[in-house]
Amino acid sequence: MGSLHRRQLSQLLALWRLKSRVEVSLCQTAVSHCRTICSSSSSSSSEPADPIEVHKRKLFLWFSHLPQEEKQFGGYFSPETMHVDPLILERKTDERVGLNCTPFQTRTSSNSSVTIEQLLDPSTSCCEGRGLNVLLYGAVGSGKSTVVRKLVLDWCTGTTLTQFKLLIPFSCEDLGELNKSATLRDLVGRKYLHLRKHPLLSGEGDQAKEVLFLFNGMEKMKLDFRIGASELCSDPNEPLPPGVLVVNLLRKYLLPEASILVSTRLSAMDRIPQKYVGRYAQICGFNDPDRQRAYFTSRLLQQTGETARNHEAQELIELLYLNLQRESQLAAACFLPSYCWLTCATLHFLHFTDAEAPIRTLTGIYTSFLRLNFGGEVLAAKIGSNVPIQENHTSLMLYVVRTLGKLAFDGVTHKRTSFSEKELEQWIGGEVKTDEELRQLAVFRTDVLDFFLAPCVESRKHLPEDGGESDEQRYVFAVPAMQEYLAALYVVLGENKSVLEKMTKQVSVAIGEATEDVGAIINILSKFIPLRIFAVFNLLKLFPKLHERISSRSKGSIARTMASEMFRSEDSQNEDVLDQVEQSLLGVHGPQLQNYSVGQPFELYPIFMGGLLHYGNRVLLQQLGCGIKSATVVQITRALRNYLVRELNKPQPAEEVMDLLVLLYEFQNPRLTAEVLASIRSIRLMNIRMTSLKCFILSSVLSCTPASYHLEELDLSSCLLTHDMLRTLWPAFRHATNLNLQFNSLGPDSCIFLRDLLLDPRASIKFLQ
C-alpha cells in the first residue's frame, strides 16, 4: 500500500514538473512573440512608412466622415452599413444626350447594370498602353457623390479596383478655386503631402498604369480643350494652371497610362469632347422598390439595438414597401436616393423623437435636405473666362426660390398641386431676356428641374373625363411638403413683393449709396420716376420713410398670412398636420373618403414659415445664399404674436390646437411661445392620435412657460396614450389644474406614475379623470 502511494506521488510530481516546463515554455514563447511585435513596430516606426499605406489610412478617415445631417438618425451609421448600390447603366456615345432615367421605365434595365470596377476594366481599353477615361453622370440627387465615396472606401480596404496601386481623388470645386500654376506632382502633394514625390507620378516608363485619378463634380470646374487656351504638356514637373493639367490628363498627353474617372451632372457632359471619353455610364438611382426597401432598412432598422423600436421600424418599412409597390407618387420621388433620405429622416422624426434625442424640427429636416444637395451651388457666369466661379455667380438655391418657389406659392394661393407644361413654361423662364439668363435657365432645367418636379402619377384619376386636355401631362412637386416649404421660403425671403415695394427698396438703397451731390441723386432717381414728380414731393425724405412703412406693412402681411392659414375654417375637419405628413409617406390603408371639391389642404405652409425664422435654419439658408435678416424676423414675430392671440380667443378644434403647438415648436422661440400661451387657459386635444413626437412637442411648448403658469384644463381623453407617453408628458402635467386622461391604454404602471405625479409638490393638479 505504501509503495503504491509513493508511486502515485512520484507520478503526480513528474506530471507537475512537465506542466511547469510547458507553462514556462509557453510564457517564454509569448514574451518572445511580444518582443518581436514590439521590435517590429518600433523598427517600422523608425523606418519611413509606405506612402501608399499612409494614403489609404488617411483617405479612409477622410471619406468615412459623415455630414452633420446624418446625425438626424442618432449617429449609429457608417458609410458601409448604409450604402445601397444605385442602378448604373453604360451608355453609348449616341445615347448619352437627352436620355434621362425616369421612374417605372428603367426596371427592365436592371439586368444590364454595371459596376465601376467593370467600367474601369483595363481589358476594355481600345488603345494598348493607354488608361481608360470613364465619364459617370447623373441628375442631382441620383447618388454620384455617394458612389464615389463608397468606391474610395472600398479601394482603401482592398475590396475593389485592386489593379490600381494608387487612387487620387480630387474635388473639382477645390481645383476650380485655385489660380496659381503648379506641377502635377505639386498639385497632388498640396492635398496629399505623403505623395509629393511618389515614383508612380514621375512619368517614367509605364508606372502610371497603376494610377487612377478621380475628379468629382466636374461641372464646378471650367475646362477648355482648345489648343490656344490649354497648351499641350507631357511633363508632370511643368507648372500649369489646374484646369490645363486636368485637360492634358484627359487628352492622354500627361501620364497617358493613367486611368481617369470623372463624375458630373447632365448639363456638363459636353465639356469633355467625345474623343477623350472611353466609356459613358449613367447613374439612374433606385429604379425598383427592392432597392428602396434596402435603403430604408439600412437607415431605419439599424438605428438602435432596442427591440421595441426595431419592431416599430420593421412595421414602417413594410408600410413603405406597400406604398412603393403601388407605383405611388412617393415611388416616383424615391427614384432619387436623396428623397429616400428625406423620407427616412421624416419618419425618424415622426416616430423616434424622444426627450433624449437632440432637438429636431420638420423645417430643419427640409432645410438640411436642401443644404446636402445644393450647399454652395451656384449658377456660374462667363464660362469661357478665367474669372473664378465664385466671383461671378447666382446662388442656385435663390434661383430655385425665385422660379419654383414662385410656382409653389401660386399653387398654394390657388389650392393647386399639379401644373401643366404650359404653366411651367410661364413660371419658369417666362421673363428671361439676355443670353446669360437663357444659359442659366438651360442649366437649371437640365440639372435641377427634375429634382423638384415629377410627372403626376395620379393626374388621370382627378382630371375630367370629357374634354381634350385629359391626355395632358401634368407635373407635381416630388413630395407634397416640398411645395409648401418652397412657397413659405418664397414669402419669408420677401420675393413676393409688389412693384411699389421693389421700386421703393431700390430707390432707398440708391439714395443710401449716393453722395450728397444733389445732381447725382437726381440722376439715380430719374431711372425710376419721371423728373416732373420731383417738384411735388421731397423725394430725399419721402422714399426712405415710404420704404420703411411699406416694408413693415409687408412683414405684418406675412404674419397675418401665417395666422390666417393656420386657422382656416375649411381645414378644421382635417387631421392634424403631423398625421397628414405621415399619410403622405406611408399611404392610407383601408377605406377613405374621396372628395376633391374642397381642394388640397396646405397646413404645413404656415408652419414652415414659422420654422424658417428659427436661427438654426437661417444659418443653413445663409449658406445656401438665401439670407433672412434679423430685423425681418423681429418684425414678423411681433406681428405674429398679436394675430395668434386674436385667433386663439375663438374656440378651435382639437386638430387646429395641435397644429398651433407644432407651429410654436417649429418656431423654437421660447419668448414668443410663452407670450402666446399666456392667453390660453385650456388645451383640449381629445381624440387626437397622440404619438411620442406629439407628446414631446406638447411638453416642450409648455416648458417655455414660467412655473406660475397654470392651465385650467388639459384634456387628453381618447388619445391612445401609453405609459411611456405619460413619462414624456410629465413636464406638461405640472401646469394642469384639471387633467383628463380617460379612455387611454393605461395600466398598473401608469397608476403608480400618476400617484407620484399627484404627490409632486410642483404639480398643481386638483381634478384628475
Side-chain angles (χ1 to χ4, degrees), residues 309-330:
R309 284 200 168 187
N310 274 341
H311 179 70
E312 183 178 358
Q314 188 64 53
E315 292 180 347
L316 290 176
I317 293 169
E318 293 300 324
L319 292 174
L320 267 174
Y321 187 62
L322 289 174
N323 197 18
L324 295 172
Q325 283 183 316
R326 293 197 293 257
E327 295 191 352
S328 61
Q329 197 65 54
L330 178 67

mmCIF file with all atom_site columns, all heavy atoms in Angstrom, residues 309-330:
data_model
loop_
_atom_site.group_PDB
_atom_site.id
_atom_site.type_symbol
_atom_site.label_atom_id
_atom_site.label_alt_id
_atom_site.label_comp_id
_atom_site.label_asym_id
_atom_site.label_entity_id
_atom_site.label_seq_id
_atom_site.pdbx_PDB_ins_code
_atom_site.Cartn_x
_atom_site.Cartn_y
_atom_site.Cartn_z
_atom_site.occupancy
_atom_site.B_iso_or_equiv
_atom_site.pdbx_formal_charge
_atom_site.auth_seq_id
_atom_site.auth_comp_id
_atom_site.auth_asym_id
_atom_site.auth_atom_id
_atom_site.pdbx_PDB_model_num
ATOM 1   N N   . ARG A 1 309 ? -38.153 49.387 -30.638 1.00 0.00 ? 309 ARG A N   1
ATOM 2   C CA  . ARG A 1 309 ? -38.008 50.341 -31.736 1.00 0.00 ? 309 ARG A CA  1
ATOM 3   C C   . ARG A 1 309 ? -37.739 49.631 -33.049 1.00 0.00 ? 309 ARG A C   1
ATOM 4   O O   . ARG A 1 309 ? -38.217 50.056 -34.098 1.00 0.00 ? 309 ARG A O   1
ATOM 5   C CB  . ARG A 1 309 ? -36.877 51.323 -31.429 1.00 0.00 ? 309 ARG A CB  1
ATOM 6   C CG  . ARG A 1 309 ? -37.258 52.385 -30.424 1.00 0.00 ? 309 ARG A CG  1
ATOM 7   C CD  . ARG A 1 309 ? -36.332 53.563 -30.530 1.00 0.00 ? 309 ARG A CD  1
ATOM 8   N NE  . ARG A 1 309 ? -36.830 54.700 -29.782 1.00 0.00 ? 309 ARG A NE  1
ATOM 9   C CZ  . ARG A 1 309 ? -36.290 55.910 -29.803 1.00 0.00 ? 309 ARG A CZ  1
ATOM 10  N NH1 . ARG A 1 309 ? -35.234 56.129 -30.554 1.00 0.00 ? 309 ARG A NH1 1
ATOM 11  N NH2 . ARG A 1 309 ? -36.788 56.900 -29.101 1.00 0.00 ? 309 ARG A NH2 1
ATOM 12  N N   . ASN A 1 310 ? -36.952 48.564 -33.009 1.00 0.00 ? 310 ASN A N   1
ATOM 13  C CA  . ASN A 1 310 ? -36.711 47.823 -34.245 1.00 0.00 ? 310 ASN A CA  1
ATOM 14  C C   . ASN A 1 310 ? -37.992 47.196 -34.774 1.00 0.00 ? 310 ASN A C   1
ATOM 15  O O   . ASN A 1 310 ? -38.193 47.097 -35.984 1.00 0.00 ? 310 ASN A O   1
ATOM 16  C CB  . ASN A 1 310 ? -35.663 46.733 -34.007 1.00 0.00 ? 310 ASN A CB  1
ATOM 17  C CG  . ASN A 1 310 ? -34.249 47.272 -34.167 1.00 0.00 ? 310 ASN A CG  1
ATOM 18  O OD1 . ASN A 1 310 ? -34.040 48.320 -34.766 1.00 0.00 ? 310 ASN A OD1 1
ATOM 19  N ND2 . ASN A 1 310 ? -33.281 46.573 -33.613 1.00 0.00 ? 310 ASN A ND2 1
ATOM 20  N N   . HIS A 1 311 ? -38.856 46.751 -33.868 1.00 0.00 ? 311 HIS A N   1
ATOM 21  C CA  . HIS A 1 311 ? -40.141 46.195 -34.294 1.00 0.00 ? 311 HIS A CA  1
ATOM 22  C C   . HIS A 1 311 ? -40.987 47.277 -34.957 1.00 0.00 ? 311 HIS A C   1
ATOM 23  O O   . HIS A 1 311 ? -41.607 47.038 -36.018 1.00 0.00 ? 311 HIS A O   1
ATOM 24  C CB  . HIS A 1 311 ? -40.874 45.600 -33.086 1.00 0.00 ? 311 HIS A CB  1
ATOM 25  C CG  . HIS A 1 311 ? -42.217 45.019 -33.424 1.00 0.00 ? 311 HIS A CG  1
ATOM 26  N ND1 . HIS A 1 311 ? -42.355 43.863 -34.175 1.00 0.00 ? 311 HIS A ND1 1
ATOM 27  C CD2 . HIS A 1 311 ? -43.483 45.440 -33.140 1.00 0.00 ? 311 HIS A CD2 1
ATOM 28  C CE1 . HIS A 1 311 ? -43.647 43.598 -34.328 1.00 0.00 ? 311 HIS A CE1 1
ATOM 29  N NE2 . HIS A 1 311 ? -44.351 44.531 -33.713 1.00 0.00 ? 311 HIS A NE2 1
ATOM 30  N N   . GLU A 1 312 ? -41.004 48.469 -34.372 1.00 0.00 ? 312 GLU A N   1
ATOM 31  C CA  . GLU A 1 312 ? -41.761 49.572 -34.974 1.00 0.00 ? 312 GLU A CA  1
ATOM 32  C C   . GLU A 1 312 ? -41.153 49.977 -36.313 1.00 0.00 ? 312 GLU A C   1
ATOM 33  O O   . GLU A 1 312 ? -41.871 50.260 -37.276 1.00 0.00 ? 312 GLU A O   1
ATOM 34  C CB  . GLU A 1 312 ? -41.785 50.767 -34.025 1.00 0.00 ? 312 GLU A CB  1
ATOM 35  C CG  . GLU A 1 312 ? -42.615 51.941 -34.530 1.00 0.00 ? 312 GLU A CG  1
ATOM 36  C CD  . GLU A 1 312 ? -42.659 53.099 -33.556 1.00 0.00 ? 312 GLU A CD  1
ATOM 37  O OE1 . GLU A 1 312 ? -42.072 52.982 -32.463 1.00 0.00 ? 312 GLU A OE1 1
ATOM 38  O OE2 . GLU A 1 312 ? -43.282 54.121 -33.891 1.00 0.00 ? 312 GLU A OE2 1
ATOM 39  N N   . ALA A 1 313 ? -39.809 49.981 -36.384 1.00 0.00 ? 313 ALA A N   1
ATOM 40  C CA  . ALA A 1 313 ? -39.155 50.324 -37.643 1.00 0.00 ? 313 ALA A CA  1
ATOM 41  C C   . ALA A 1 313 ? -39.480 49.304 -38.726 1.00 0.00 ? 313 ALA A C   1
ATOM 42  O O   . ALA A 1 313 ? -39.679 49.666 -39.894 1.00 0.00 ? 313 ALA A O   1
ATOM 43  C CB  . ALA A 1 313 ? -37.639 50.406 -37.438 1.00 0.00 ? 313 ALA A CB  1
ATOM 44  N N   . GLN A 1 314 ? -39.551 48.030 -38.360 1.00 0.00 ? 314 GLN A N   1
ATOM 45  C CA  . GLN A 1 314 ? -39.893 47.000 -39.335 1.00 0.00 ? 314 GLN A CA  1
ATOM 46  C C   . GLN A 1 314 ? -41.307 47.206 -39.880 1.00 0.00 ? 314 GLN A C   1
ATOM 47  O O   . GLN A 1 314 ? -41.563 47.031 -41.079 1.00 0.00 ? 314 GLN A O   1
ATOM 48  C CB  . GLN A 1 314 ? -39.773 45.614 -38.697 1.00 0.00 ? 314 GLN A CB  1
ATOM 49  C CG  . GLN A 1 314 ? -39.913 44.451 -39.666 1.00 0.00 ? 314 GLN A CG  1
ATOM 50  C CD  . GLN A 1 314 ? -38.798 44.438 -40.699 1.00 0.00 ? 314 GLN A CD  1
ATOM 51  O OE1 . GLN A 1 314 ? -37.618 44.482 -40.362 1.00 0.00 ? 314 GLN A OE1 1
ATOM 52  N NE2 . GLN A 1 314 ? -39.171 44.397 -41.977 1.00 0.00 ? 314 GLN A NE2 1
ATOM 53  N N   . GLU A 1 315 ? -42.228 47.596 -39.010 1.00 0.00 ? 315 GLU A N   1
ATOM 54  C CA  . GLU A 1 315 ? -43.596 47.876 -39.467 1.00 0.00 ? 315 GLU A CA  1
ATOM 55  C C   . GLU A 1 315 ? -43.623 49.072 -40.420 1.00 0.00 ? 315 GLU A C   1
ATOM 56  O O   . GLU A 1 315 ? -44.343 49.065 -41.428 1.00 0.00 ? 315 GLU A O   1
ATOM 57  C CB  . GLU A 1 315 ? -44.498 48.133 -38.257 1.00 0.00 ? 315 GLU A CB  1
ATOM 58  C CG  . GLU A 1 315 ? -44.742 46.908 -37.384 1.00 0.00 ? 315 GLU A CG  1
ATOM 59  C CD  . GLU A 1 315 ? -45.634 47.218 -36.209 1.00 0.00 ? 315 GLU A CD  1
ATOM 60  O OE1 . GLU A 1 315 ? -45.850 48.424 -35.936 1.00 0.00 ? 315 GLU A OE1 1
ATOM 61  O OE2 . GLU A 1 315 ? -46.109 46.267 -35.565 1.00 0.00 ? 315 GLU A OE2 1
ATOM 62  N N   . LEU A 1 316 ? -42.835 50.104 -40.118 1.00 0.00 ? 316 LEU A N   1
ATOM 63  C CA  . LEU A 1 316 ? -42.768 51.257 -41.009 1.00 0.00 ? 316 LEU A CA  1
ATOM 64  C C   . LEU A 1 316 ? -42.231 50.863 -42.383 1.00 0.00 ? 316 LEU A C   1
ATOM 65  O O   . LEU A 1 316 ? -42.731 51.313 -43.417 1.00 0.00 ? 316 LEU A O   1
ATOM 66  C CB  . LEU A 1 316 ? -41.879 52.343 -40.401 1.00 0.00 ? 316 LEU A CB  1
ATOM 67  C CG  . LEU A 1 316 ? -42.404 53.078 -39.172 1.00 0.00 ? 316 LEU A CG  1
ATOM 68  C CD1 . LEU A 1 316 ? -41.351 54.047 -38.662 1.00 0.00 ? 316 LEU A CD1 1
ATOM 69  C CD2 . LEU A 1 316 ? -43.685 53.817 -39.494 1.00 0.00 ? 316 LEU A CD2 1
ATOM 70  N N   . ILE A 1 317 ? -41.208 50.015 -42.397 1.00 0.00 ? 317 ILE A N   1
ATOM 71  C CA  . ILE A 1 317 ? -40.613 49.583 -43.662 1.00 0.00 ? 317 ILE A CA  1
ATOM 72  C C   . ILE A 1 317 ? -41.629 48.809 -44.491 1.00 0.00 ? 317 ILE A C   1
ATOM 73  O O   . ILE A 1 317 ? -41.715 48.985 -45.713 1.00 0.00 ? 317 ILE A O   1
ATOM 74  C CB  . ILE A 1 317 ? -39.351 48.742 -43.389 1.00 0.00 ? 317 ILE A CB  1
ATOM 75  C CG1 . ILE A 1 317 ? -38.261 49.626 -42.769 1.00 0.00 ? 317 ILE A CG1 1
ATOM 76  C CG2 . ILE A 1 317 ? -38.837 48.099 -44.670 1.00 0.00 ? 317 ILE A CG2 1
ATOM 77  C CD1 . ILE A 1 317 ? -37.085 48.854 -42.227 1.00 0.00 ? 317 ILE A CD1 1
ATOM 78  N N   . GLU A 1 318 ? -42.417 47.956 -43.832 1.00 0.00 ? 318 GLU A N   1
ATOM 79  C CA  . GLU A 1 318 ? -43.425 47.185 -44.559 1.00 0.00 ? 318 GLU A CA  1
ATOM 80  C C   . GLU A 1 318 ? -44.488 48.101 -45.160 1.00 0.00 ? 318 GLU A C   1
ATOM 81  O O   . GLU A 1 318 ? -44.918 47.917 -46.309 1.00 0.00 ? 318 GLU A O   1
ATOM 82  C CB  . GLU A 1 318 ? -44.075 46.154 -43.629 1.00 0.00 ? 318 GLU A CB  1
ATOM 83  C CG  . GLU A 1 318 ? -43.133 45.051 -43.166 1.00 0.00 ? 318 GLU A CG  1
ATOM 84  C CD  . GLU A 1 318 ? -42.561 44.257 -44.327 1.00 0.00 ? 318 GLU A CD  1
ATOM 85  O OE1 . GLU A 1 318 ? -43.288 44.035 -45.317 1.00 0.00 ? 318 GLU A OE1 1
ATOM 86  O OE2 . GLU A 1 318 ? -41.381 43.871 -44.257 1.00 0.00 ? 318 GLU A OE2 1
ATOM 87  N N   . LEU A 1 319 ? -44.941 49.097 -44.393 1.00 0.00 ? 319 LEU A N   1
ATOM 88  C CA  . LEU A 1 319 ? -45.938 50.032 -44.914 1.00 0.00 ? 319 LEU A CA  1
ATOM 89  C C   . LEU A 1 319 ? -45.368 50.854 -46.078 1.00 0.00 ? 319 LEU A C   1
ATOM 90  O O   . LEU A 1 319 ? -46.051 51.107 -47.076 1.00 0.00 ? 319 LEU A O   1
ATOM 91  C CB  . LEU A 1 319 ? -46.425 50.961 -43.806 1.00 0.00 ? 319 LEU A CB  1
ATOM 92  C CG  . LEU A 1 319 ? -47.263 50.309 -42.693 1.00 0.00 ? 319 LEU A CG  1
ATOM 93  C CD1 . LEU A 1 319 ? -47.561 51.313 -41.585 1.00 0.00 ? 319 LEU A CD1 1
ATOM 94  C CD2 . LEU A 1 319 ? -48.563 49.755 -43.266 1.00 0.00 ? 319 LEU A CD2 1
ATOM 95  N N   . LEU A 1 320 ? -44.110 51.261 -45.943 1.00 0.00 ? 320 LEU A N   1
ATOM 96  C CA  . LEU A 1 320 ? -43.458 51.996 -47.031 1.00 0.00 ? 320 LEU A CA  1
ATOM 97  C C   . LEU A 1 320 ? -43.377 51.133 -48.288 1.00 0.00 ? 320 LEU A C   1
ATOM 98  O O   . LEU A 1 320 ? -43.646 51.592 -49.405 1.00 0.00 ? 320 LEU A O   1
ATOM 99  C CB  . LEU A 1 320 ? -42.046 52.410 -46.601 1.00 0.00 ? 320 LEU A CB  1
ATOM 100 C CG  . LEU A 1 320 ? -41.869 53.782 -45.973 1.00 0.00 ? 320 LEU A CG  1
ATOM 101 C CD1 . LEU A 1 320 ? -40.438 53.951 -45.490 1.00 0.00 ? 320 LEU A CD1 1
ATOM 102 C CD2 . LEU A 1 320 ? -42.220 54.885 -46.949 1.00 0.00 ? 320 LEU A CD2 1
ATOM 103 N N   . TYR A 1 321 ? -43.011 49.869 -48.096 1.00 0.00 ? 321 TYR A N   1
ATOM 104 C CA  . TYR A 1 321 ? -42.850 48.959 -49.232 1.00 0.00 ? 321 TYR A CA  1
ATOM 105 C C   . TYR A 1 321 ? -44.182 48.765 -49.966 1.00 0.00 ? 321 TYR A C   1
ATOM 106 O O   . TYR A 1 321 ? -44.231 48.740 -51.199 1.00 0.00 ? 321 TYR A O   1
ATOM 107 C CB  . TYR A 1 321 ? -42.295 47.636 -48.740 1.00 0.00 ? 321 TYR A CB  1
ATOM 108 C CG  . TYR A 1 321 ? -41.935 46.664 -49.843 1.00 0.00 ? 321 TYR A CG  1
ATOM 109 C CD1 . TYR A 1 321 ? -40.946 46.984 -50.772 1.00 0.00 ? 321 TYR A CD1 1
ATOM 110 C CD2 . TYR A 1 321 ? -42.573 45.444 -49.955 1.00 0.00 ? 321 TYR A CD2 1
ATOM 111 C CE1 . TYR A 1 321 ? -40.611 46.104 -51.786 1.00 0.00 ? 321 TYR A CE1 1
ATOM 112 C CE2 . TYR A 1 321 ? -42.243 44.551 -50.963 1.00 0.00 ? 321 TYR A CE2 1
ATOM 113 C CZ  . TYR A 1 321 ? -41.259 44.882 -51.877 1.00 0.00 ? 321 TYR A CZ  1
ATOM 114 O OH  . TYR A 1 321 ? -40.928 44.010 -52.878 1.00 0.00 ? 321 TYR A OH  1
ATOM 115 N N   . LEU A 1 322 ? -45.263 48.639 -49.193 1.00 0.00 ? 322 LEU A N   1
ATOM 116 C CA  . LEU A 1 322 ? -46.581 48.501 -49.813 1.00 0.00 ? 322 LEU A CA  1
ATOM 117 C C   . LEU A 1 322 ? -46.934 49.739 -50.625 1.00 0.00 ? 322 LEU A C   1
ATOM 118 O O   . LEU A 1 322 ? -47.489 49.646 -51.730 1.00 0.00 ? 322 LEU A O   1
ATOM 119 C CB  . LEU A 1 322 ? -47.645 48.254 -48.735 1.00 0.00 ? 322 LEU A CB  1
ATOM 120 C CG  . LEU A 1 322 ? -47.620 46.892 -48.043 1.00 0.00 ? 322 LEU A CG  1
ATOM 121 C CD1 . LEU A 1 322 ? -48.640 46.852 -46.915 1.00 0.00 ? 322 LEU A CD1 1
ATOM 122 C CD2 . LEU A 1 322 ? -47.888 45.771 -49.044 1.00 0.00 ? 322 LEU A CD2 1
ATOM 123 N N   . ASN A 1 323 ? -46.608 50.907 -50.081 1.00 0.00 ? 323 ASN A N   1
ATOM 124 C CA  . ASN A 1 323 ? -46.898 52.150 -50.797 1.00 0.00 ? 323 ASN A CA  1
ATOM 125 C C   . ASN A 1 323 ? -46.059 52.274 -52.059 1.00 0.00 ? 323 ASN A C   1
ATOM 126 O O   . ASN A 1 323 ? -46.520 52.759 -53.092 1.00 0.00 ? 323 ASN A O   1
ATOM 127 C CB  . ASN A 1 323 ? -46.652 53.347 -49.870 1.00 0.00 ? 323 ASN A CB  1
ATOM 128 C CG  . ASN A 1 323 ? -47.311 54.615 -50.370 1.00 0.00 ? 323 ASN A CG  1
ATOM 129 O OD1 . ASN A 1 323 ? -48.214 54.575 -51.204 1.00 0.00 ? 323 ASN A OD1 1
ATOM 130 N ND2 . ASN A 1 323 ? -46.860 55.755 -49.886 1.00 0.00 ? 323 ASN A ND2 1
ATOM 131 N N   . LEU A 1 324 ? -44.808 51.823 -52.004 1.00 0.00 ? 324 LEU A N   1
ATOM 132 C CA  . LEU A 1 324 ? -43.930 51.906 -53.168 1.00 0.00 ? 324 LEU A CA  1
ATOM 133 C C   . LEU A 1 324 ? -44.355 50.929 -54.258 1.00 0.00 ? 324 LEU A C   1
ATOM 134 O O   . LEU A 1 324 ? -44.245 51.226 -55.453 1.00 0.00 ? 324 LEU A O   1
ATOM 135 C CB  . LEU A 1 324 ? -42.483 51.617 -52.755 1.00 0.00 ? 324 LEU A CB  1
ATOM 136 C CG  . LEU A 1 324 ? -41.838 52.623 -51.800 1.00 0.00 ? 324 LEU A CG  1
ATOM 137 C CD1 . LEU A 1 324 ? -40.497 52.120 -51.325 1.00 0.00 ? 324 LEU A CD1 1
ATOM 138 C CD2 . LEU A 1 324 ? -41.692 53.978 -52.464 1.00 0.00 ? 324 LEU A CD2 1
ATOM 139 N N   . GLN A 1 325 ? -44.832 49.755 -53.860 1.00 0.00 ? 325 GLN A N   1
ATOM 140 C CA  . GLN A 1 325 ? -45.237 48.761 -54.845 1.00 0.00 ? 325 GLN A CA  1
ATOM 141 C C   . GLN A 1 325 ? -46.445 49.217 -55.664 1.00 0.00 ? 325 GLN A C   1
ATOM 142 O O   . GLN A 1 325 ? -46.659 48.731 -56.777 1.00 0.00 ? 325 GLN A O   1
ATOM 143 C CB  . GLN A 1 325 ? -45.546 47.431 -54.156 1.00 0.00 ? 325 GLN A CB  1
ATOM 144 C CG  . GLN A 1 325 ? -44.307 46.641 -53.753 1.00 0.00 ? 325 GLN A CG  1
ATOM 145 C CD  . GLN A 1 325 ? -44.670 45.313 -53.141 1.00 0.00 ? 325 GLN A CD  1
ATOM 146 O OE1 . GLN A 1 325 ? -45.575 45.213 -52.312 1.00 0.00 ? 325 GLN A OE1 1
ATOM 147 N NE2 . GLN A 1 325 ? -43.960 44.267 -53.545 1.00 0.00 ? 325 GLN A NE2 1
ATOM 148 N N   . ARG A 1 326 ? -47.231 50.139 -55.130 1.00 0.00 ? 326 ARG A N   1
ATOM 149 C CA  . ARG A 1 326 ? -48.400 50.626 -55.851 1.00 0.00 ? 326 ARG A CA  1
ATOM 150 C C   . ARG A 1 326 ? -48.031 51.656 -56.917 1.00 0.00 ? 326 ARG A C   1
ATOM 151 O O   . ARG A 1 326 ? -48.904 52.252 -57.542 1.00 0.00 ? 326 ARG A O   1
ATOM 152 C CB  . ARG A 1 326 ? -49.401 51.260 -54.872 1.00 0.00 ? 326 ARG A CB  1
ATOM 153 C CG  . ARG A 1 326 ? -50.041 50.273 -53.912 1.00 0.00 ? 326 ARG A CG  1
ATOM 154 C CD  . ARG A 1 326 ? -51.291 50.879 -53.297 1.00 0.00 ? 326 ARG A CD  1
ATOM 155 N NE  . ARG A 1 326 ? -50.990 51.988 -52.430 1.00 0.00 ? 326 ARG A NE  1
ATOM 156 C CZ  . ARG A 1 326 ? -51.000 51.919 -51.095 1.00 0.00 ? 326 ARG A CZ  1
ATOM 157 N NH1 . ARG A 1 326 ? -51.282 50.774 -50.507 1.00 0.00 ? 326 ARG A NH1 1
ATOM 158 N NH2 . ARG A 1 326 ? -50.725 52.970 -50.374 1.00 0.00 ? 326 ARG A NH2 1
ATOM 159 N N   . GLU A 1 327 ? -46.709 51.876 -57.120 1.00 0.00 ? 327 GLU A N   1
ATOM 160 C CA  . GLU A 1 327 ? -46.240 52.904 -58.052 1.00 0.00 ? 327 GLU A CA  1
ATOM 161 C C   . GLU A 1 327 ? -46.876 54.246 -57.715 1.00 0.00 ? 327 GLU A C   1
ATOM 162 O O   . GLU A 1 327 ? -47.431 54.949 -58.565 1.00 0.00 ? 327 GLU A O   1
ATOM 163 C CB  . GLU A 1 327 ? -46.520 52.512 -59.506 1.00 0.00 ? 327 GLU A CB  1
ATOM 164 C CG  . GLU A 1 327 ? -45.744 51.292 -59.960 1.00 0.00 ? 327 GLU A CG  1
ATOM 165 C CD  . GLU A 1 327 ? -45.815 51.083 -61.453 1.00 0.00 ? 327 GLU A CD  1
ATOM 166 O OE1 . GLU A 1 327 ? -46.584 51.804 -62.106 1.00 0.00 ? 327 GLU A OE1 1
ATOM 167 O OE2 . GLU A 1 327 ? -45.109 50.207 -61.969 1.00 0.00 ? 327 GLU A OE2 1
ATOM 168 N N   . SER A 1 328 ? -46.787 54.590 -56.443 1.00 0.00 ? 328 SER A N   1
ATOM 169 C CA  . SER A 1 328 ? -47.371 55.837 -55.954 1.00 0.00 ? 328 SER A CA  1
ATOM 170 C C   . SER A 1 328 ? -46.471 57.010 -56.306 1.00 0.00 ? 328 SER A C   1
ATOM 171 O O   . SER A 1 328 ? -45.386 56.855 -56.864 1.00 0.00 ? 328 SER A O   1
ATOM 172 C CB  . SER A 1 328 ? -47.552 55.755 -54.435 1.00 0.00 ? 328 SER A CB  1
ATOM 173 O OG  . SER A 1 328 ? -46.297 55.567 -53.812 1.00 0.00 ? 328 SER A OG  1
ATOM 174 N N   . GLN A 1 329 ? -46.928 58.208 -55.951 1.00 0.00 ? 329 GLN A N   1
ATOM 175 C CA  . GLN A 1 329 ? -46.117 59.398 -56.178 1.00 0.00 ? 329 GLN A CA  1
ATOM 176 C C   . GLN A 1 329 ? -44.835 59.345 -55.363 1.00 0.00 ? 329 GLN A C   1
ATOM 177 O O   . GLN A 1 329 ? -43.789 59.846 -55.788 1.00 0.00 ? 329 GLN A O   1
ATOM 178 C CB  . GLN A 1 329 ? -46.918 60.654 -55.818 1.00 0.00 ? 329 GLN A CB  1
ATOM 179 C CG  . GLN A 1 329 ? -46.343 61.937 -56.378 1.00 0.00 ? 329 GLN A CG  1
ATOM 180 C CD  . GLN A 1 329 ? -46.389 61.982 -57.902 1.00 0.00 ? 329 GLN A CD  1
ATOM 181 O OE1 . GLN A 1 329 ? -47.424 61.805 -58.506 1.00 0.00 ? 329 GLN A OE1 1
ATOM 182 N NE2 . GLN A 1 329 ? -45.252 62.210 -58.515 1.00 0.00 ? 329 GLN A NE2 1
ATOM 183 N N   . LEU A 1 330 ? -44.895 58.708 -54.186 1.00 0.00 ? 330 LEU A N   1
ATOM 184 C CA  . LEU A 1 330 ? -43.689 58.566 -53.365 1.00 0.00 ? 330 LEU A CA  1
ATOM 185 C C   . LEU A 1 330 ? -42.654 57.706 -54.082 1.00 0.00 ? 330 LEU A C   1
ATOM 186 O O   . LEU A 1 330 ? -41.448 57.980 -54.013 1.00 0.00 ? 330 LEU A O   1
ATOM 187 C CB  . LEU A 1 330 ? -44.050 57.950 -52.014 1.00 0.00 ? 330 LEU A CB  1
ATOM 188 C CG  . LEU A 1 330 ? -42.863 57.710 -51.076 1.00 0.00 ? 330 LEU A CG  1
ATOM 189 C CD1 . LEU A 1 330 ? -42.267 59.034 -50.619 1.00 0.00 ? 330 LEU A CD1 1
ATOM 190 C CD2 . LEU A 1 330 ? -43.286 56.883 -49.861 1.00 0.00 ? 330 LEU A CD2 1
#
